[in-house]
Every structure is written in C-alpha cells, then in structure tokens.
Amino acid sequence: SEAAELLGLVPYMEGMRMITVVELVAPTSDENVTVTDTELSSVPVRLYLPRRAPGGLRRAVLFFHGGGWCLGDAGMQGYDLISRRISNELNAVVVSVNYRLAPAHHFPVQFEDVYSVSKFFLQSKVLSQYGVDPARVCVAGDSAGGNLAAAVAQQLSEDPEVKTKLKAQVLIYPALQALDMDLPSYRDNADKPLLSRSLMVRFWSEYFTSEPALREAMASNRHIPAEAGPLLQFVDWGRWLPAEMRGAHRYSRPAAGGSALARRYPGLLDPRASPLLASEARLRRLPPALVLTCEHDVLRDDGAMYAARLRAAGVPVTHHHASDGFHGALTFLAWPLDLALGHRLLNTCVDWLRDNL
C-alpha cells in the first residue's frame, strides 16, 4: 500500500482496504442462526438471530469491528464467525455494526454511527421486538472497535434519554488513548505484525484528519499542547501499568507540542476518541468489563491501563492477558489463517459472556 501510494497508483487506505474485500462473506443463515444485512437507525448492520426456541428473553451483544477506524467490515469472515458463534452458543442476538470509515469520514462520525445504533437498539420497543432482556445487553469490539465500545459504554452511562443500562462490556486489545505514542508496548512492539507503531500512528491520525502534519507530529510524540498536561495523569503508564509490563522502561512525559493541531482537531483530547481520558467519576458508572490484551501488541498498555483505572474506580474487571498473543489474533479462525490462539481467545470471550451477561 505504501509503494502504491508513493507511485501515485492508489491512496494508502484504499490499498489496505483490498484486504477487507478479499475477506468478505455473504450473510448466510444456517441451522442455528439467521443472518441478514439490514439497517438500524439508518446505519448498516449485520444481524444474527438465534433460531432455537428462546426459553425466555435473550441476551444481546452490540459488536463493533476493528480496522483502525479506516478498514474492516462486519461481513469479513473472522467477524462473521465471531458473531455467529456468540449468537449460537449464548442464544444471543448479535448486532455487528458497519460504521462509516476514514479517510472519507473522520471523528466523530464513526463514534456517532455506533452510538446511534446502540441507543436505537436499547429502546424498549426494539428490545421487545427482538425478544431481548433489557438487563442482559453488552457492547463489545476489537482494536478500534474496542475503542468505540468503551466510548459508547461511557456515553450511554450519562445519557438521560437511555433508560436501559448495559450489563457488560468486552474490550479486545482496544485502542484507548491518542496522547502518548511512546508507551512501553509501542517501544517493545514497534515493528511486530500485524500492527506496527507506524501503522497505528497512521490509523490514529487518519481518524482525525488526512493532513500529514498530524501524522508527523504523532510519530515524534509531539502532538499534544502544553495546556493538555492535566490529562496526562490518566495515561501515566508509570502509575497505571503493571510493573511486569513496564519492564526496564522509565516513564517520562510526552514533550509538549504547539496548540495549533489540538485546536484544529479537538478530538485529540476528547474522551469519545480516547476513553482513557475519562475522569474517575465517569468510569465509576460503567458496567463490568472484560479487557483482553496481547503481549506482542502496540496496544497492550492501553488495555492494561484501562483495566487498572476501572478497578481503581470500583468497576469489576477481568483482565485477560495473552502472553503469546499478537494484535488481531482473535479473527484468525478459519483457513488459511486458522490459529489455535484465535480460538482460545474467542473461547475466553464467550465463556466470560456466558458467566457475566
């Protein structure tokens, strides 16, 4: 994709998006689950409805796919298999959301799409239509989708128009902050597949703008203005990161940049984009969480810090850390990318939902 962009053949993200197209599968129903592509609140979703008799009201999972807010689709084979299995094994309605993507759409469009679907689905009449128990609804997502799930959970907890409260949240190697691009995990895994530091910086910057100046500032970790200093306490990995993840690294605050970028792109300092920036009072209202992190992943420390902050706020948290895991592993569920690791991580999520949703 980089070579094609340099040669002027195709923009970078369009080249990357070809991976998505190759992975797409049709919405195919089977003996256990009815699968359809439809819309909720004018946003495309892939809907999974269990076929067996409910035996009472069902669980529901609102799922947001990963892909750096730029790539991905609910119809990719990995996401289809995840949603199908959750629906079948937990007798749950699964709504997998196809939110709009960057670079055509920047923050907060992606958040607004998933929030609109979530708020619509949580209406009593809609829950009733699908036979869903209003006390057993969860948000979940991986990577950028984990970011969106965390942000949606925070916003729902404060929305006076939403009467139904989430029962749980599942955050799978989530991206949770755009303030510090020099965490130990960014250093340790800068060049590891499938998500290098440079690609994550590209995803974050494209979420806000296609202007190269922001990407360059983020790459040097000089994109946050001095006046944002008070927010750094929320992403202080010297405080929030377990000692075994800090390793031999020593904490230093990111160097302050100018104010121009933050003024042009206020999403940089918005908790809807960086849920780790939420105050403790806001975190206190959140539902129980499963936070899944992988050792060989630049986003490892985002999830670990969020788990620590949630615990400090009194939220029940299960932090599952895969010491042999890498970013994106959960979707490696079918040939030619069928890994035992992917199935193990999915088992962890399904088992937790079975016990907590």
Side-chain angles (χ1 to χ4, degrees):
S1 295
E2 287 181 8
E5 184 176 54
L6 287 170
L7 292 170
L9 300 176
V10 64
Y12 179 81
M13 285 302 169
E14 281 190 31
M16 293 287 286
R17 207 164 284 157
M18 293 175 186
I19 302 167
T20 299
V21 175
V22 170
E23 282 280 301
L24 290 178
V25 295
T28 306
S29 301
D30 59 30
E31 67 274 15
N32 300 312
V33 182
T34 299
V35 184
T36 54
D37 283 344
T38 183
E39 289 188 354
L40 295 181
S41 192
S42 301
V43 178
V45 302
R46 183 162 287 194
L47 187 63
Y48 298 78
L49 301 174
R51 286 193 167 188
R52 67 176 181 269
L57 295 176
R58 290 188 166 100
R59 301 171 168 107
V61 175
L62 296 156
F63 190 89
F64 313 137
H65 68 75
W69 309 279
C70 300
L71 313 170
D73 193 288
M76 291 176 69
Q77 185 179 37
Y79 292 120
D80 181 71
L81 290 171
I82 291 166
S83 297
R84 193 177 293 271
R85 183 159 168 218
I86 290 172
S87 181
N88 181 36
E89 291 202 19
L90 301 180
N91 199 23
V93 175
V94 177
V95 181
S96 190
V97 184
N98 266 327
Y99 52 90
R100 287 170 288 177
L101 301 172
H105 304 280
H106 298 295
F107 175 84
V109 168
Q110 292 83 340
F111 170 80
E112 289 172 344
D113 280 357
V114 295
Y115 193 74
S116 175
V117 170
S118 303
K119 191 168 178 175
F120 177 85
F121 187 77
L122 288 171
Q123 296 176 99
S124 296
K125 63 182 180 182
V126 179
L127 295 171
S128 177
Q129 175 187 342
Y130 291 109
V132 170
D133 184 343
R136 303 180 83 184
V137 183
C138 168
V139 289
D142 70 315
S143 193
N147 165 284
L148 294 169
V152 164
Q154 289 184 11
Q155 188 92 344
L156 286 172
S157 73
E158 297 182 341
D159 192 331
E161 296 178 358
V162 179
K163 305 306 178 188
T164 302
K165 300 301 180 188
L166 292 177
K167 179 69 181 295
Q169 53 181 326
V170 174
L171 312 177
I172 301 158
Y173 32 75
L176 296 170
Q177 61 86 33
L179 267 68
D180 192 348
M181 303 284 107
D182 195 36
L183 307 179
S185 58
Y186 273 86
R187 300 173 189 174
D188 294 342
N189 302 295
D191 299 309
K192 290 185 182 175
L194 298 169
L195 185 65
S196 65
R197 181 184 186 274
S198 62
L199 180 55
M200 192 63 229
V201 166
R202 181 95 188 219
F203 281 145
W204 266 121
S205 62
E206 290 279 4
Y207 191 23
F208 301 118
T209 176
S210 296
E211 181 188 342
L214 178 59
R215 183 164 76 248
E216 292 161 7
M218 293 182 99
S220 63
N221 212 35
R222 292 176 176 269
H223 56 293
I224 299 302
E227 55 266 32
L231 293 174
L232 291 174
Q233 63 177 309
F234 299 133
V235 297
D236 178 351
W237 55 264
R239 175 183 179 188
W240 296 113
L241 202 59
E244 61 271 19
M245 290 187 180
R246 294 197 301 268
H249 300 291
R250 294 292 172 263
Y251 179 73
S252 60
R253 288 164 66 96
S259 301
L261 288 171
R263 278 200 303 270
R264 283 206 298 280
Y265 311 111
L268 277 171
L269 308 178
D270 192 324
R272 294 176 302 165
S274 293
L276 254 172
L277 301 187
S279 66
E280 182 171 316
R282 192 179 204 205
L283 296 181
R284 210 174 291 136
R285 289 189 283 268
L286 292 174
L290 169 64
V291 180
L292 189 151
T293 56
C294 292
E295 179 65 24
H296 308 289
D297 181 4
V298 293
L299 297 180
R300 176 195 71 201
D301 297 349
D302 281 24
M305 288 196 292
Y306 200 55
R309 289 207 57 217
L310 288 172
R311 278 201 196 99
V315 178
V317 180
T318 302
H319 178 198
H320 179 86
H321 183 64
S323 59
D324 58 344
F326 59 89
H327 194 83
L330 182 79
T331 56
F332 284 40
L333 299 169
W335 187 90
L337 300 171
D338 189 358
L339 295 183
L341 171 63
H343 292 278
R344 196 180 81 227
L345 296 181
L346 181 54
N347 288 343
T348 296
C349 295
V350 172
D351 290 346
W352 189 88
L353 285 169
R354 186 178 288 113
D355 294 338
N356 293 277
L357 180 61

